[in-house]
Amino acid sequence: SLLTQVELSQNGNATYIKPSVSALKFDKGGSRKTIKVDSDGTKWTVEYPNYLEVETNGDSFTVEVPSNDGDFRQGIITVTEDNVRSSITFQQAGKCPNCHGQGNMTCAACSGMGSTGFGLYSMQCVWCGGRGSMNCGVCGGTGEKEYKQEMKNLYSEWTEQEGYTDV
């Protein structure tokens, strides 16, 4: 009888990475959140914006977001191993990025003059009611921007620019 021996081995490449969440939301005061990572790989890495602090620990990592006195922030945290990657979108409340916390904007119709036309043909601006300014269209005049459902657009734009596909 002929005996054949075949050696089998696993090359160690990850085939999937699945974080426990796909989106994170933080208030202005900042906080910490822990994300578990399910993967068949052994050594995944985390890429993130420089104002976040990330600490890995076994099969999870903790994201710490500092308090935010500036504009509303959003971004992407990417977990990668080999050729597999998964993304987590995040947002942190802050000042409105459109009006920078002022709550109002110069009226585009009258350029802040409160009226349109010239000389005898001048009339009160119908858009701002003669005030020369209007409530910001992004924050509704509050000067603050909270998290919204815009995350999917941010993620889609980023993956298209980088040429990545989600797993």
Side-chain angles (χ1 to χ4, degrees):
S1 138
L2 183 62
L3 181 64
T4 306
Q5 187 174 9
V6 178
E7 185 176 323
L8 297 175
S9 65
Q10 183 176 356
N11 63 6
N13 288 338
T15 60
Y16 72 92
I17 293 178
K18 184 172 180 173
S20 58
V21 297
S22 61
L24 296 170
K25 297 176 182 178
F26 299 94
D27 62 21
K28 286 177 66 168
S31 65
R32 294 174 58 98
K33 295 189 180 182
T34 300
I35 296 93
K36 290 188 66 67
V37 177
D38 181 23
S39 173
D40 63 349
T42 58
K43 190 173 182 188
W44 43 266
T45 59
V46 183
E47 298 171 34
Y48 50 92
N50 62 0
Y51 57 87
L52 300 179
E53 289 186 30
V54 173
E55 183 180 310
T56 59
N57 185 13
D59 66 345
S60 65
F61 65 95
T62 301
V63 177
E64 184 169 354
V65 180
S67 65
N68 181 14
D69 295 327
D71 286 350
F72 171 86
R73 301 192 277 202
Q74 59 187 3
I76 297 174
I77 299 168
T78 306
V79 183
T80 307
E81 183 171 358
D82 301 324
N83 291 326
V84 182
R85 69 180 57 226
S86 187
S87 299
I88 302 167
T89 54
F90 71 90
Q91 297 180 329
Q92 184 180 22
K95 292 179 185 174
C96 174
N98 192 47
C99 68
H100 303 288
Q102 298 301 308
N104 59 18
M105 303 288 294
T106 300
C107 177
C110 69
S111 300
M113 300 300 292
S115 61
T116 57
F118 297 97
L120 294 172
Y121 301 103
S122 180
M123 60 184 259
Q124 180 175 317
C125 178
V126 297
W127 291 99
C128 67
R131 293 186 317 275
S133 65
M134 303 173 67
N135 281 346
C136 174
V138 172
C139 67
T142 66
E144 298 287 321
K145 184 162 175 11
E146 297 293 328
Y147 13 86
K148 302 253 181 196
Q149 295 298 325
E150 300 162 0
M151 297 297 283
K152 194 141 185 96
N153 295 339
L154 172 73
Y155 176 72
S156 297
E157 289 172 19
W158 181 81
T159 54
E160 287 171 13
Q161 288 173 358
E162 298 294 326
Y164 297 129
T165 55
D166 201 15
V167 289

